[in-house]
C-alpha cells in the first residue's frame, strides 16, 4: 500500500514491483526485479493506460478502486499487448464489462488471441483523438518498439507521454518512482540492459519512433514508460540515451569474452586485456562466457565500441556457450562493432574457424587477423596477441 502517487493533474501511477520472478520472458535474469507501470487518468471519463503482469497484480483492482471508488473504467488504452502489461486485462474486463479497449488494428488481432473479441473496441490508428473531459489524448503508432502493435499515447493537457516499453528499465522502483527520487547510476545500467536485451533488435524502428515524436513537436513534460522510473525532471535525458543506443553510438572501450575449458584461452584474454590497458583504453571488461549470463554480455557489447571474442575448440566447433553468445548477437543485429578474434585448438581446431563465420555474418570490422594457437600460448603466440591488442587500441584511440 503506497498511497496515491500523482504523476500530473488527475493522472496517477498504478504500478507493481515484481521481486519474485527470476527471469523476464523466462530468459533474462532479474536480480533487481522489474516494475510494471500502469497509469490511471481520473477525469470526466476514466482511462487506464496499460495494466500489469498477472502475478504481480493482486492489489491491482483494489488500487483502481482507491482512485475511482464505485465509478467505472471507461477506456483501457493498450500501448503494448505483451503479457507483462496485459496480464490484468481479464480482471478489468470482468470488473468493468462495458470498458472500451483502445488500440490499433494489430492490437485488436493480438488482443483477440489472448482474450477473445472485445465488446467495445476503439481503433485509433487513423489519428483519432480521445476527449476525456479535461484531458485530450492523441495516439502515435510506433510499431516494433517492441512488438508490432506498440503505440504511444500523449496527453496534450499535461504533456504526459505514455511510451509503452520505450524508455523502460529492469529493476524495481524501490521507494523512488520519479527520476528526481532515484540514483540514476543504478538505472542507467539496467535501462541499457533492458534496451539491448528487449528492444535493441528493433533499433531502426526506435529511430523511426523518435523521429515521429520529434516531428509532432510534442511538448513532452513527463515520460511514463511501462517499466522503470517515471521521467519528470529530465525526460530529455532518457530520449537522448535511446537515441544513442538505437543509433549504435558506443563508448570508447572493449569487451573481451572468452570460452576456456582449462584456462589457456582465459590466459590469452587477460594478456590481450593488459596490452590494451597499456595503450590507454580505460573501459575494458573481461568475461567468462560460461559464467556471466549472455544478458550482461549483450549489454556491455552494446555499450562499448570494441569486442574481442576468444574460444577454445569443442568437438571441432567453438565452445557451445560462445556459440550461444554469437547466435544471440546475430539475433539482436548489433551493428558497427570493431572485432578481434582469438582461439585455441587441441587437435584440429574449430574455435577460430567458427568465430570467423560469425565475423562474416555480423559484418563487424575485424581489426586484425584472428590469432589461433595450439595448447599453451608460446612467445610467438603472444606476439600475435600484441598485434591484435595494438590494432584494437589504435582504432579505439583514433
Ligand atoms: Fe514490457 Fe514488451 O513488454
Amino acid at each position: 500500500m503506497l498511497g496515491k502517487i500523482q504523476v500530473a493533474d488527475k493522472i496517477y501511477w498504478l504500478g507493481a514491483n515484481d521481486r519474485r520472478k527470476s527471469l523476464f520472458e523466462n530468459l533474462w535474469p532479474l536480480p533487481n526485479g522489474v516494475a510494471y507501470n500502469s497509469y490511471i487518468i481520473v477525469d470526466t471519463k476514466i482511462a487506464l493506460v496499460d495494466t500489469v503482469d498477472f502475478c504481480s497484480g493482486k492489489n491491482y483492482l483494489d488500487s483502481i478502486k482507491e482512485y475511482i471508488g464505485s465509478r467505472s473504467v471507461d477506456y483501457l488504452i493498450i500501448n503494448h499487448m505483451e503479457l507483462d502489461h496485459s496480464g490484468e486485462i481479464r480482471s478489468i474486463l470482468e470488473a468493468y464489462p462495458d470498458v472500451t479497449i483502445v488500440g490499433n488494428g494489430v492490437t485488436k488481432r493480438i488482443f483477440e488471441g489472448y482474450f477473445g473479441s472485445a465488446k467495445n473496441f476503439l481503433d485509433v490508428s487513423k489519428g483519432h483523438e480521445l476527449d476525456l473531459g479535461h484531458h485530450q489524448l492523441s495516439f502515435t503508432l510506433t510499431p516494433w518498439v517492441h512488438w508490432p502493435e506498440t503505440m504511444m499515447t500523449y496527453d496534450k493537457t499535461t504533456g504526459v507521454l505514455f511510451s509503452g516499453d520505450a524508455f523502460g528499465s529492469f529493476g524495481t522502483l524501490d521507494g523512488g518512482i520519479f527520476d528526481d527520487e532515484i540514483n540514476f547510476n543504478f538505472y542507467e545500467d539496467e535501462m541499457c540492459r533492458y534496451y539491448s536485451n528487449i528492444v535493441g533488435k528493433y533499433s531502426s524502428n526506435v529511430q523511426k519512433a523518435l523521429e515521429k515524436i520529434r516531428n509532432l513537436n510534442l511538448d513532452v513534460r513527463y515520460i511514463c514508460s511501462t517499466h522503470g522510473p517515471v521521467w519528470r525532471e529530465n525526460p530529455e535525458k532518457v530520449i537522448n540515451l535511446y537515441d544513442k543506443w538505437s543509433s549504435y553510438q558506443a563508448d570508447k572501450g572493449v569487451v573481451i569474452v572468452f570460452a576456456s575449458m582449462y584456462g589457456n584461452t582465459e590466459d590469452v584474454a587477460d594478456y590481450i586485456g593488459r596490452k590494451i590497458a597499456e595503450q590507454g583504453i580505460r573501459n575494458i571488461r573481461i568475461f567468462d562466457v560460461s559464467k556471466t549470463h549472455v544478458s550482461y554480455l549483450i549489454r556491455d557489447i552494446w555499450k562499448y565500441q570494441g569486442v574481442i571474442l576468444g574460444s577454445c575448440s569443442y568437438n571441432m566447433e567453438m565452445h557451445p556457450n560462445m556459440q550461444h553468445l554469437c547466435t544471440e548477437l546475430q539475433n539482436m543485429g548489433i551493428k558497427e562493432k570493431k572485432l578481434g578474434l582469438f582461439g585455441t585448438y587441441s587437435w584440429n581446431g574449430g574455435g577460430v574457424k567458427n568465430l570467423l563465420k560469425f565475423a562474416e555474418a555480423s559484418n563487424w570490422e575485424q581489426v586484425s587477423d584472428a590469432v589461433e594457437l595450439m595448447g599453451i600460448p608460446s612467445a610467438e603466440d603472444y606476439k600475435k596477441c600484441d598485434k591484435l591488442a595494438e590494432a584494437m587500441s589504435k582504432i579505439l584511440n583514433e
Side-chain angles (χ1 to χ4, degrees):
M1 176 62 80
L2 297 178
K4 291 186 177 179
I5 294 165
Q6 184 163 8
V7 174
D9 185 26
K10 298 185 171 76
I11 300 180
Y12 302 91
W13 177 85
L14 264 185
N17 281 320
D18 187 345
R19 297 186 177 88
R20 291 194 174 189
K21 193 179 284 174
S22 55
L23 293 173
F24 187 75
E25 297 178 340
N26 218 3
L27 186 59
W28 309 105
L30 289 173
N32 305 303
V34 66
Y36 313 110
N37 298 331
S38 163
Y39 304 90
I40 188 162
I41 308 172
V42 185
D43 201 339
T44 309
K45 295 285 185 183
I46 291 174
L48 268 180
V49 184
D50 294 309
T51 70
V52 297
D53 198 359
F54 175 62
C55 298
S56 31
K58 60 184 187 300
N59 299 317
Y60 188 63
L61 282 176
D62 290 342
S63 304
I64 290 172
K65 287 198 173 84
E66 254 189 79
Y67 289 105
I68 66 173
S70 58
R71 293 177 67 193
S72 286
V73 174
D74 296 291
Y75 298 103
L76 170 56
I77 297 162
I78 301 179
N79 284 326
H80 186 19
M81 265 304 301
E82 191 168 2
L83 274 289
D84 52 333
H85 311 295
S86 60
E88 282 291 328
I89 285 180
R90 191 169 301 288
S91 51
I92 295 297
L93 295 174
E94 284 167 9
Y96 307 105
D98 293 324
V99 67
T100 295
I101 305 298
V102 180
N104 55 69
V106 190
T107 320
K108 188 165 187 281
R109 185 159 51 83
I110 301 175
F111 181 97
E112 285 170 357
Y114 288 110
F115 302 106
S117 259
K119 184 174 167 193
N120 306 302
F121 191 93
L122 177 63
D123 185 336
V124 293
S125 54
K126 301 277 190 292
H128 196 103
E129 296 207 343
L130 189 57
D131 183 352
L132 299 180
H134 179 52
H135 295 267
Q136 311 290 323
L137 305 181
S138 60
F139 307 91
T140 305
L141 302 195
T142 52
W144 295 107
V145 185
H146 146 230
W147 277 14
E149 85 298 356
T150 45
M151 63 181 204
M152 296 189 192
T153 301
Y154 177 69
D155 174 33
K156 211 185 302 178
T157 309
T158 56
V160 171
L161 180 69
F162 300 100
S163 62
D165 274 350
F167 315 115
S169 174
F170 288 130
T172 48
L173 294 168
D174 298 343
I177 288 172
F178 299 91
D179 59 338
D180 49 291
E181 297 177 335
I182 59 166
N183 180 343
F184 179 66
N185 292 339
F186 164 74
Y187 285 100
E188 182 167 9
D189 265 357
E190 282 294 73
M191 190 173 285
C192 186
R193 193 162 68 88
Y194 187 84
Y195 181 80
S196 57
N197 291 187
I198 309 296
V199 183
K201 178 177 175 67
Y202 308 103
S203 286
S204 62
N205 301 87
V206 173
Q207 278 289 310
K208 283 180 195 159
L210 292 174
E211 198 182 336
K212 253 187 183 179
I213 292 166
R214 259 183 238 120
N215 291 342
L216 287 169
N217 280 321
L218 304 178
D219 175 19
V220 176
R221 280 172 270 155
Y222 306 81
I223 289 182
C224 293
S225 171
T226 45
H227 300 287
V230 172
W231 296 82
R232 66 179 177 189
E233 185 178 69
N234 192 0
E236 200 58 34
K237 183 172 183 157
V238 74
I239 292 175
N240 290 339
L241 275 176
Y242 255 56
D243 192 25
K244 175 182 174 181
W245 293 331
S246 59
S247 56
Y248 302 104
Q249 296 169 53
D251 296 335
K252 182 172 167 179
V254 60
V255 179
I256 303 173
V257 189
F258 66 84
S260 186
M261 286 189 289
Y262 299 106
N264 295 307
T265 316
E266 181 172 8
D267 284 347
V268 177
D270 276 325
Y271 181 84
I272 292 171
R274 179 68 199 142
K275 290 293 150 190
I276 290 174
E278 285 173 1
Q279 289 166 77
I281 306 299
R282 290 297 167 256
N283 290 311
I284 302 169
R285 303 279 182 269
I286 302 181
F287 294 104
D288 182 338
V289 75
S290 298
K291 171 89 181 292
T292 304
H293 193 281
V294 70
S295 170
Y296 300 90
L297 305 177
I298 291 170
R299 178 195 64 193
D300 280 7
I301 287 172
W302 209 286
K303 271 165 77 171
Y304 296 113
Q305 295 167 342
V307 183
I308 298 179
L309 303 177
S311 181
C312 59
S313 300
Y314 194 94
N315 291 338
M316 290 165 282
E317 303 285 341
M318 64 173 102
H319 190 280
N321 291 339
M322 182 58 75
Q323 182 62 65
H324 175 56
L325 171 64
C326 290
T327 302
E328 284 295 332
L329 292 172
Q330 267 184 262
N331 281 343
M332 296 294 173
I334 307 178
K335 295 185 174 52
E336 296 177 27
K337 295 294 165 192
K338 312 298 179 196
L339 178 66
L341 299 174
F342 67 95
T344 53
Y345 65 97
S346 304
W347 63 95
N348 72 343
V352 167
K353 185 174 78 182
N354 287 289
L355 282 171
L356 285 166
K357 287 183 191 165
F358 165 75
E360 198 179 334
S362 68
N363 214 18
W364 293 353
E365 179 186 346
Q366 223 180 308
V367 297
S368 69
D369 290 340
V371 177
E372 186 165 37
L373 56 103
M374 169 83 181
I376 293 173
S378 65
E380 206 50 43
D381 294 327
Y382 281 125
K383 279 187 193 157
K384 291 180 192 164
C385 294
D386 289 342
K387 283 193 179 159
L388 170 55
E390 273 167 32
M392 180 61 79
S393 306
K394 185 164 180 280
I395 213 159
L396 296 184
N397 279 324
E398 273 171 2

